């Protein structure tokens, strides 16, 4: 897998590699917003189910006092708005990253096709005498598109989903390792049963 990834990076020009790095940074930001969105739900649910938790939890008490709330109901409403804001932010960031992924893939389709066409056009006239022009145009138009849509775009999408999944798993393990491992064991066991059966 890493060899294929190296080959993919070798196909890119230095400018395209910089764009890939920017896309990778955007993917990490998306993962962080996913984790922040998930993390914002827990305090809201804790306060909504038991308003007295504000006095017991030091972080919630600090936030409650620092922002000057005078009733738990207003604090619950504030936390609800924070959760909604994180959900909106998460969706906006996810949409922007998806747009960047699609644009990156389509622009690589264009640039690879143009570079391959330039290579063909740099050959002498004798090169074209024993070759079918429709086959050459198929290389430029169809096969480059297959490489991009069949490998490059799925590789970028896989990377994005992997980064988000790892960030969420780390967050869950940090928050409550026992529950995270039990959930992983149950879900893993169910998947194992599906594949064995």
């Amino acid at each position: 897998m890493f060899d294929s990834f190296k080959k993919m990076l070798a196909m890119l020009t230095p400018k395209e590699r910089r764009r890939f790095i920017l896309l990778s940074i955007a993917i990490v930001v998306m993962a962080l917003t996913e984790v922040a969105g998930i993390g914002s739900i827990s305090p809201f649910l804790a306060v909504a189910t038991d308003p007295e938790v504000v006095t017991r939890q030091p972080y919630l008490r600090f936030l409650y006092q620092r922002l000057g709330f005078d009733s738990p109901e207003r604090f619950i409403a504030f936390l609800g708005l924070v959760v909604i804001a994180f959900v909106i932010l998460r969706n906006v960031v996810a949409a922007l990253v998806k747009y960047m992924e699609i644009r990156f893939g389509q622009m690589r389709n264009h640039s690879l096709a143009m570079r391959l066409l330039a290579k063909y056009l740099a050959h002498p006239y004798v090169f074209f005498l024993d070759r079918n022009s429709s086959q050459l145009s198929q290389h430029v138009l169809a096969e480059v598109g297959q490489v991009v849509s069949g490998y490059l775009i799925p590789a970028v999408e896989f990377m994005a989903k992997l980064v988000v999944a790892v960030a969420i798993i780390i967050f869950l393990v940090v928050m409550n390792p026992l529950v995270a491992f039990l959930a992983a064991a149950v879900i893993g066991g169910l998947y194992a049963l599906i594949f064995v059966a």
Side-chain angles (χ1 to χ4, degrees):
M1 180 177 168
F2 288 111
D3 290 335
S4 301
F5 194 71
K6 285 180 186 175
K7 287 178 186 175
M8 182 190 81
L9 288 178
M11 287 191 309
L12 304 178
T13 64
K15 184 178 179 181
E16 291 171 341
R17 284 190 200 118
R18 286 193 295 274
R19 291 192 178 178
F20 180 73
I21 290 169
L22 287 175
L23 177 60
S24 301
I25 292 169
I27 288 170
V28 170
V29 170
M30 180 180 71
L32 294 175
T33 57
E34 288 281 342
V35 168
I38 293 168
S40 67
I41 295 171
S42 177
F44 171 71
L45 290 177
V47 175
T49 55
D50 180 17
E52 295 300 315
V53 79
V54 174
T55 58
R56 294 192 305 270
Q57 276 285 347
Y59 300 116
L60 290 174
R61 185 174 60 236
F62 173 78
L63 192 61
Y64 183 83
Q65 292 170 349
R66 183 62 99 179
L67 295 176
F69 284 101
D70 55 358
S71 71
E73 290 78 19
R74 289 187 180 180
F75 188 61
I76 292 170
F78 167 74
L79 289 177
L81 290 174
V82 169
V83 169
I84 291 170
F86 272 120
V87 168
I88 292 170
L89 176 68
R90 188 179 73 196
N91 288 333
V92 167
V93 171
L96 286 173
V97 170
K98 190 67 177 173
Y99 169 77
M100 290 173 70
E101 287 175 14
I102 293 169
R103 180 172 167 75
F104 179 80
Q106 294 305 318
M107 292 308 290
R108 296 309 64 82
N109 189 5
H110 171 73
S111 66
L112 288 171
M114 292 296 288
R115 282 169 25 210
L116 184 59
L117 180 62
K119 287 271 189 193
Y120 281 148
L121 294 177
H123 284 89
Y125 179 72
V126 180
F127 173 81
F128 297 99
L129 292 178
D130 60 345
R131 284 177 176 79
N132 189 344
S133 60
S134 65
Q135 189 178 17
L136 295 176
S137 64
Q138 182 182 0
H139 288 294
V140 173
L141 298 174
E143 292 181 10
V144 170
Q146 287 176 353
V147 168
V148 170
S149 64
Y151 179 74
L152 183 66
I153 292 175
V156 170
E157 289 176 351
F158 172 76
M159 185 182 78
K161 287 179 173 52
L162 182 67
V163 169
V164 170
V166 167
I168 291 171
I169 289 169
I170 290 171
F171 173 76
L172 292 175
V173 169
V174 167
M175 290 303 292
N176 196 332
L178 180 64
V179 172
F181 288 122
L182 284 174
V186 169
I187 293 170
L190 289 174
Y191 271 108
L193 283 173
I194 290 169
F195 282 114
V196 168

